[in-house]
Amino acid sequence: MQLVEGEGLTECSLPLKMFGDGHCRVTVEDAHGRRAWSNPIHLSR
């Protein structure tokens, strides 16, 4: 798991190679603890 934190955060970059040929899912949480998440994102080279 990779965690990026910050106030007013509007974007983030992560190296795709850390996921290999697998998949990832993005979860975001606002200042009130409300969460939203993406469907799985399938990665391939």
Side-chain angles (χ1 to χ4, degrees):
M1 175 169 62
Q2 179 74 32
L3 177 66
V4 177
E5 296 180 288
E7 289 188 32
L9 191 64
T10 59
E11 63 182 74
C12 171
S13 297
L14 298 170
L16 290 178
K17 67 181 179 179
M18 70 183 278
F19 301 103
D21 286 332
H23 67 278
C24 67
R25 182 180 300 229
V26 177
T27 305
V28 295
E29 183 175 319
D30 70 9
H32 302 286
R34 296 177 294 205
R35 292 183 182 177
W37 51 91
S38 72
N39 287 326
I41 301 167
H42 299 281
L43 305 168
S44 61
R45 294 180 190 245

